[in-house]
């Protein structure tokens, strides 16, 4: 059967999100549960994928759209281009996941010179008709044909000036007719052809524009940031128009069933009287709060409240809705689970549990771990805040604290940020083109727009602080300056924003660390209950370790000892070590470092209070530590009593062509075993010391980096173990310890069976493993990765999201091989992927014991690990069911074989005996049939038992 | 049962080489076939391994040695330290493979102050007794205790001077007694203890010295060069002495059954009258040719000739023997398959086939492919040779032609060579310490020593040209100069050596290429018959390609196009391409290069005459091509009409931290598809052009380097295919072509199933694959690899010998995965491993279709591929046999199960029927027993049938 590409709203439902997109599936669902939805059809995401394959809308899809139009015309009793009862529609994109950056809505499609006359006359509402037409031309030109909005806005401004009015609504029908003519002339000037009069031509233009918008640069950036594959495609929704601009008893709005900023359970939202949807979202006119609707149209408000209740109960989640009122009649245009701030997400989840609407497990699954990041960002230091000069107060559109230098364009934001500057992006209003700039900014401040303006919605999604609608600002974007509270601000001047209160401060206000508690704490406690993987942290200092422990870390998964060597008080000794000519010189320098390292480790052990601490031995190539300027070189030479020339020679000799693949990791321990010995002594002495007084004893884990060969690892491990045993014997105490290795070289994974014989644990260093597996270095890949994203060779940065296909295969091999020779082997990950939710899910799946990530990602990892465990449990149940089925099938086959064998045997025997052959065979078959029936019953019974569990 | 570590010669045989070492196994074999061998025992290689494990000779081994001594005493009727009939022995090392660089022989062990008196008196040959004693002290001190030979030689020289004699043989018994005393004093001065008097202490000292010598630096270097693992260990041979220094009717010698230099079938060798073995090998005295023995002791000579015949017939190979004559009685001390020059190896193999002693298959297996290299080295240009001033003529000890600068020490040879100088090492004589220096030299010239001197033997093994025994040289090693033919030569002066004729020329004589023919051709023809893998070549120019085809290559496996860009006439255009700011600029520059590339490819296609030509697209990072000096930068700027600053900016932007993992390979084609398009056009146009006139049409193979991801490969492949099709369409012709990729990134191997969907062939780039898999770059690994060899973490350079465990596993995965989605996929290798015999064997095993190597390695690869095929066939037969056995075992189990099942079924059925149960069961069991017997017979019959094949 041919693929079905076009679905009437009445043919779909909420579970069909993958095929119909979120918007389409929910329009169908609302239709099904009897809510007032203007009817229409959805062109499926598969049609979009097919469009990209064919490079056009193929005949099959075209035919199905035509059929959809016919059905829609039947349902509405209207016809495209009809001069009696013309059909007007909106066209909207709708992907599986809500996705800013894609095509804007097109409204009023179906209008042309004749139709506009007809509806003006038939409705007696000429101004409305003319307004619809000029809007349509404007939107179609902008969205479908990419003629910039600004050309049309300029014409409107000129018209308003000519007529001496300031508001759009003050323009008359005649003005709007004239404007429409001007718009069409503008269109022809820019495009070269007349504005399309044929509604179907308009419709196909709009559909193709939706498909195309799936591949625009903004959409691609958003997808990359949000793990959305290009292959998903977008659906297109074609829906009969309801007109919010019909009259002053009409309007349009958006609303949330709960406060998307705080999660508080109260209806939130905004509406505009006598307006169409884009007026609200664009933030051009500042809308009224939804509560005002009660005053204007109480019966509509009541109906809307009822709808809200129905939807929340139906979806078990906070809803974000779009609606239109035409002549006091309510139409629902969209509902979806509302985007919310991280804080709101926690509160909503907890409230829903308390309201009995969902289980704690559902609550844990409901929170996007990536959003927790916001809550872990610093807030303003209250003391600093007291002194801070307030410039103004506007809408707190996305919480958080931001302080930085002012920039006026998205490009500047991106560029300044790339230079390491912290910037605040100040705009009249933002648009999808600004997304990359918004990502680069600490905070966003807009002059126009409400809580649901583009800036506000996008900033909340990103977890970036945003203050919107600050009308007090006198903006001069062209000259990159603005005036606020009587002061002129230029590019590079400093301001601070409080995204929760909407307050704007002059200058930089100091910030402080976030804390975890309340709903955050509740969710985390549930998460800890469900997760099976431990979460450790990557920390090199007692301070970081303490912070991570506070955030729920279960010890340290990676302490990079080299970071300690960079500190001022030891770099000198470390350089002496490097510039040694003999082992004795090297040992003398190391002797100086030993007590400092020991003190470092004591601090870490204390901070972790008995939790595991994994200490990675010196990893980077030595040339990273040597001095580069003459004075430092001279100082080093003097300290060692060597000529400057000799030191320079040594430094030169350290040069490497490919440092990433050079003399580093355990290769340093092979060439300079005395370094490993010193580090071992420091670890063991520190552990012995700390354990003397500690209740919870530390079991230090020594981690040897960069192993690629079992003999190589054994060589270094033997040195470490020998040194450990010497230290323990000298101290006359007992100490448990482990020696393991990082798996970060492909060969280590490939030969993990041998490697595991010399390791108590494996810790996957997926940063390096990714580099080696792909054969590109992170430092250099920037030169070509952009081209890879543009051509969609890559949709994800493999350094951010673990490559499960290639790198993941190596990890699975390493685990399987490693456990085969060392069943006690324990397993972790300490690459940056250890803090990435989708990678954490993979780690859970392949059986790691822990993930290790930076302190502030610990809560994210805890939540992600819990979600992974819940999902895996579900998968396990499913696969167990499948296995039972499989087993039943195999059993049946075996039985059948056995039956044949018995038949044959019986036959042979009876033939041989030459008597009773027939009876014997009949009896044998009966017997085996009975046996088979019994086995079958047994399997069915077992399946049922399993299902109960 | 306890391991047996000590074997009497009578307990071993030639097949026990792994356990007894080559020397021990052959001493046993000679004993078995009744040749005159002084008896003794062999301490096994396992004892050596155990010694390294325990760090000492353990009690068990010690006990077995004691037992061996007792048995030896019984056999010989002599006793260690006995004053009536003292036992004197030699102690020799003997590994599985003959291995220079290990311990020298110790003779006359068992002597002490008392014993020497006894034997002097009993034999009435005091001079002999005293000579033996001083020799023993000297050897023991040198070899076991590492007191340098030179101290003793100095004492001898002083003694000779005092006595006014020039030859050792002119010293009297009294002189020698005095010398022995001086030697012992020297020993005490150096070691601090008295020279050991106890023969057993002497013996254990010598045994340990043999074991230790297995791990000395020279042995380690040799092992690495010859693929000998440390784990093999060495055996120790303890053998009763036969005394070549007994009288003037005694002597010692070495001989080959055929000429080891030419392979000619005639007895070759040398002997010294009244001497012990080390006198011959050391080259201190110049020996007589073996033919002279006939004159001196005709009956001994005749007996020896008979022994030679027996041994050759027995071993089916040319033998290298050591013998001693004591008082006209012949003793065989060693036989082994003789080392020979490559030329001799070919001749011997062909002769043995012609003599009916071996099959052509045996002949192919007999040649070490690595040795062919020598034959492919250039020889002197006969024209140049005519003009060349001859300095002298000495022994042509190892064939080949060498020309270079004179150096006087092994260290200098190594150091000069590392600077790229071609050197000739000139020495009085060489010793095992010189091995590394000898490897670095083009040729070796010695003043002393014959065809079997250390220099000659080692040089032949290495395939290095050597002229020995040039007594005309007046050497002044200390001042690094010598005089020859009246001319003084200093370090850095030039000479040339002809290792075949022994001629020494003044200055540099021009050389010319080698050719293949005669026996070489016969062996190659046999090899081609047996091998299943094709051999291609890595060639970038028509000249190289033609040479390779001449040497038997079957097309080109790797043409590195980038080498073409470096040529003077195109580097300018190529740099313009790199420094383009727009696609148009880049295309314009590429347009200039296109015809040149096309011409290159036409040349290659013509040279290969229809054989496959694989062209790899641009691979190295672009910064390798940009100018570095100001003038070139200026020229480039002018050519492009750009400011110098802009060019510098572009050059700077190309800098990479890790170029090996940077913007290179197909990554260049992703960012600059126009480069791939240009190269595609050049390939296709060239192929079309050449095919117009060619009888054998070329099928060009376009190879895309560095793929790591299937989407990435698909992207570039699509560009290539589109361009190819355009070109073919434009030309209106037919052309077959292939597009494939290199597998050189671990991820490509891991995801080869996906990769293979977009590739007609895989070519393993094992240079890069090794780098990425190990995570170290070849350019940087030198910094730590020495430490890896020293610590025996690595025994082999993974860039020279393929790492079969790690890299090999990736290769196997890639093949298995690739073939699973693309069964037509063809497979090759073009890393340097493609010319390494042991790696070629692996490639054959895993199923590659071809190997590709540099032109001069093509014959080596052909031979290695043949050997691999023969060995694999043998393995297959063996594993098939094993499978039959396995199947028989499984069948038996199944039958037994079936028997049980039938029994049970019969029992159940008869129970159910309630009649004839006993009879039925008995009958059933009989029936199944008969069936089982039948099946068994069938299996046995099948096995027999298989064996016949």
């Amino acid at each position: 059967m041919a693929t079905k590409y076009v679905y009437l709203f009445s043919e779909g439902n909420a579970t069909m999100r993958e095929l119909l997109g979120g918007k389409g599936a929910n329009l169908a669902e609302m239709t099904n549960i009897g809510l007032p939805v203007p009817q229409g059809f959805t062109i499926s995401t598969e049609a979009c994928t097919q469009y990209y394959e064919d490079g056009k809308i193929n005949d099959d899809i075209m035919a199905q759209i035509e059929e959809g139009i016919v059905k829609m015309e039947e349902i509405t009793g209207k016809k495209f281009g009809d001069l009696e009862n013309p059909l007007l529609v909106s066209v909207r994109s709708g992907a599986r996941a809500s996705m800013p950056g894609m095509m804007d809505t097109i409204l009023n499609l179906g209008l042309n010179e004749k139709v506009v006359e007809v509806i003006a006359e038939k409705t007696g509402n000429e101004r409305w008709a003319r307004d619809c037409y000029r809007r349509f031309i404007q939107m179609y030109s902008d969205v479908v044909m990419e003629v910039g909005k600004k050309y049309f806005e300029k014409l409107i401004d000129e018209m308003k000036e000519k007529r001496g009015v300031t508001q759009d609504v003050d323009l008359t029908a005649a003005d709007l007719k004239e404007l429409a003519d001007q718009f069409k002339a503008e269109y022809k000037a820019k495009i070269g052809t007349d504005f399309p009069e044929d509604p179907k031509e308009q419709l196909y233009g709009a559909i193709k524009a939706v498909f195309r918008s799936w591949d625009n640069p903004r959409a691609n950036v958003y997808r990359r940031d949000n793990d959305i594959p290009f292959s998903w495609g977008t659906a297109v929704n074609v829906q009969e128009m309801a007109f919010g601009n019909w009259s002053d008893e009409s309007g349009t709005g958006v609303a949330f069933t709960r406060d998307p900023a705080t999660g508080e359970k109260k209806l939130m939202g905004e509406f505009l009287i006598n307006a169409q949807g884009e007026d609200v979202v664009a933030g051009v006119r500042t809308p009224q709060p939804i509560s005002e609707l009660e005053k204007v149209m109480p019966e509509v408000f009541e109906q809307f409240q009822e709808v809200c209740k129905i939807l929340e109960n139906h979806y078990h989640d906070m809803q974000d809705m779009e609606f239109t009122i035409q002549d006091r009649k309510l139409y629902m245009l969209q509902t979806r689970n509302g985007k919310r701030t991280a804080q709101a997400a926690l509160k909503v989840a907890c409230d829903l549990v308390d309201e009995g609407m969902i289980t704690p497990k559902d609550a844990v699954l409901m929170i996007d771990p990536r959003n927790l990041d916001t809550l872990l960002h610093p807030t303003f230091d209250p003391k600093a805040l007291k002194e801070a000069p307030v410039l103004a107060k506007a809408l707190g559109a996305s919480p958080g604290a931001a302080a930085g230098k002012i920039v006026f364009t998205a490009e500047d934001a991106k560029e300044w940020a790339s230079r390491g500057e912290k910037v605040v992006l100040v705009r009249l209003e933002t648009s999808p083109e600004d997304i990359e700039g918004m990502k680069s900014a600490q905070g966003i401040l807009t002059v126009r727009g409400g809580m649901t303006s583009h800036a506000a919605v996008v900033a909340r999604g990103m977890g970036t602080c945003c203050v919107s609608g600050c009308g007090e600002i006198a903006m001069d974007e062209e000259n990159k300056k603005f005036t606020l509270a009587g002061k002129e601000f230029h590019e590079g001047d400093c301001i601070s924003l409080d995204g929760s209160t909407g307050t704007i401060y002059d200058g930089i206000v100091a910030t402080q660390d976030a804390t975890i508690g309340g709903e955050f704490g509740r969710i985390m406690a549930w998460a800890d209950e469900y997760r099976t993987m431990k979460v450790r942290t990557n920390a090199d200092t007692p301070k970081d370790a303490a912070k991570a422990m506070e955030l729920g870390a279960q010890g340290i998964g990676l302490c990079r000892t080299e970071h300690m060597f960079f500190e001022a008080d030891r770099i000198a000794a470390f350089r002496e070590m490097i510039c040694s000519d003999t082992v004795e010189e090297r040992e003398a320098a190391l002797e100086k470092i030993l007590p400092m390292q020991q003190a470092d480790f004591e601090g870490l052990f204390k901070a972790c209070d008995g939790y595991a601490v994994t200490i990675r031995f010196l990893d980077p190539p030595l040339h990273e530590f040597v001095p580069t300027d003459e004075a430092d070189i001279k100082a080093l030479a003097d300290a060692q009593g060597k000529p400057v020339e000799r030191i320079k020679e040594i430094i030169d000799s350290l040069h490497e062509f490919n440092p990433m693949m050079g003399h580093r990791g355990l290769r340093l321990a092979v060439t300079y075993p005395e370094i490993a010995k010193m580090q071992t002594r420091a670890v063991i002495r520190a552990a012995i010391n700390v354990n003397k007084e500690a209740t919870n004893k530390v079991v230090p884990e020594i981690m040897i980096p960069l192993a690629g060969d079992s003999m190589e690892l054994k060589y270094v491990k033997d040195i470490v173990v020998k040194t450990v045993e010497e230290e323990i014997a000298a101290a006359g105490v007992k100490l448990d310890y482990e020696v393991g290795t990082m798996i970060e070289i492909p060969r280590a994974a490939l030969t993990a069976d041998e490697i595991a014989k010399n390791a108590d644990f494996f810790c996957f260093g997926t940063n390096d493993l990714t580099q080696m597996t792909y054969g590109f270095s992170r430092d250099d890949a920037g030169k070509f990765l952009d081209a890879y994203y543009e051509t969609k060779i890559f949709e994800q940065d493999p350094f951010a999201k673990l490559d499960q296909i290639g790198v993941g295969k190596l990890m699975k091999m390493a685990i399987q091989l490693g456990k085969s020779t060392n069943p006690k082997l324990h397993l972790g990950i300490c690459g940056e992927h250890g803090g990435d939710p989708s990678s954490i899910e993979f780690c859970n799946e392949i059986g790691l014991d822990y993930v290790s990530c930076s302190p502030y990602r610990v809560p994210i990892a805890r939540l992600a690990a819990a979600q992974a465990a819940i999902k895996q449990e579900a998968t396990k149940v499913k696969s167990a069911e499948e296995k039972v089925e499989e087993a039943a099938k195999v059993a049946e086959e075996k039985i059948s074989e056995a039956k044949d064998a018995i038949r044959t045997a019986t036959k042979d025997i009876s033939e041989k005996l030459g008597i009773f052959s027939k009876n014997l065979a009949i009896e044998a078959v009966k017997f085996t049939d009975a046996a088979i029936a019994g086995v079958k019953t047994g399997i069915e019974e077992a399946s049922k038992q399993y299902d109960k569990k």
Side-chain angles (χ1 to χ4, degrees), chain A residues 72 110 128 153 178 270 291 493 597 658:
Chain A
M72 195 176 166
W128 160 76
E153 277 164 9
E178 197 181 329
E270 299 159 324
S291 52
D493 291 345
Q597 281 255 295
N658 295 285

Side-chain angles (χ1 to χ4, degrees), chain A residues 576-586 640 642 646-647 650:
Chain A
E576 281 177 38
M577 191 284 290
I578 294 170
C579 294
S580 297
D581 281 297
T582 63
V583 173
E584 291 68 33
E585 272 182 46
R586 201 171 304 113
Q640 292 208 281
K642 290 181 184 178
R646 174 70 197 130
I647 299 295
I650 293 174

Side-chain angles (χ1 to χ4, degrees), chain A residues 502-516:
Chain A
T503 317
I504 306 161
Y505 302 93
D506 198 0
I508 298 288
V509 181
T511 55
Q512 67 172 19
D513 284 353
T515 55
I516 299 188

Side-chain angles (χ1 to χ4, degrees), chain A residues 318-586:
Chain A
M318 182 251 266
Q319 293 300 296
D320 165 7
M321 301 149 298
E322 287 180 24
F323 61 92
T324 282
I325 303 160
Q326 180 176 357
D327 204 17
R328 292 191 166 258
K329 190 165 161 22
L330 175 68
Y331 292 99
M332 296 304 295
L333 303 183
Q334 156 143 322
T335 192
R336 58 182 173 186
N337 295 340
K339 280 194 194 288
R340 62 207 78 173
T341 63
Q343 187 55 58
L346 296 173
K347 179 159 171 54
V348 168
C350 288
D351 286 355
L352 289 175
V353 170
D354 294 340
E355 291 163 26
M357 227 190 279
I358 61 172
T359 65
K361 213 177 247 186
D362 295 330
V364 165
L365 287 173
M366 207 171 193
I367 314 292
D368 184 344
R370 289 171 299 183
N371 287 351
L372 295 186
D373 205 26
T374 336
L375 300 178
L376 300 163
H377 279 317
T379 52
F380 286 128
D381 174 358
K383 271 176 275 172
L385 214 53
K386 270 187 204 162
E387 317 286 312
V390 174
L391 290 169
K393 220 169 151 122
L395 297 173
S398 177
K405 293 180 178 168
I406 294 166
V407 292
F408 287 87
T409 69
E411 292 71 39
D412 289 343
K414 206 179 149 187
E415 198 210 310
W416 286 48
S418 75
R419 299 201 305 260
E421 297 278 7
K422 295 192 169 185
V423 299
V424 172
L425 177 62
V426 184
R427 305 275 291 151
L428 265 178
E429 60 191 305
T430 63
S431 67
E433 290 85 5
D434 297 333
I435 287 197
E436 286 214 73
M438 291 168 78
K439 273 171 59 184
S440 307
Q442 299 293 308
I444 298 149
L445 170 60
T446 68
V447 179
R448 297 181 194 153
M451 288 295 285
T452 50
S453 66
H454 179 267
V457 170
V458 170
R460 277 201 298 276
M462 288 176 179
T464 301
C465 157
C466 176
V467 173
S468 69
C470 181
E472 295 168 46
I473 290 178
M475 188 64 152
D476 181 356
E477 280 191 331
E478 203 170 320
N479 295 305
K480 297 195 176 177
K481 61 178 182 180
F482 67 80
T483 313
L484 178 62
K487 186 174 168 183
E488 203 172 84
F489 289 84
H490 297 86
E491 190 178 56
D493 291 345
C494 291
I495 55 169
S496 300
L497 308 178
D498 185 330
S500 308
T501 63
T503 317
I504 306 161
Y505 302 93
D506 198 0
I508 298 288
V509 181
T511 55
Q512 67 172 19
D513 284 353
T515 55
I516 299 188
E519 280 110 5
F520 201 157
R522 277 184 86 188
I523 296 278
M524 281 297 131
W526 286 328
D528 289 347
E529 206 172 294
Y530 300 125
R531 76 183 156 94
T532 52
M533 272 197 305
K534 289 200 162 56
V535 175
R536 298 193 190 176
T537 192
N538 299 351
D540 312 330
T541 64
K543 193 179 154 222
D544 282 356
K547 183 77 218 171
M549 297 302 286
E550 191 190 314
L551 294 173
Q554 294 156 294
I556 292 178
L558 173 63
C559 160
R560 285 156 294 219
T561 50
E562 57 270 18
H563 287 189
M564 301 168 169
F565 296 127
F566 280 112
E567 285 182 27
D569 59 340
R570 52 195 84 175
I571 186 72
F574 198 73
R575 285 172 177 171
E576 281 177 38
M577 191 284 290
I578 294 170
C579 294
S580 297
D581 281 297
T582 63
V583 173
E584 291 68 33
E585 272 182 46
R586 201 171 304 113

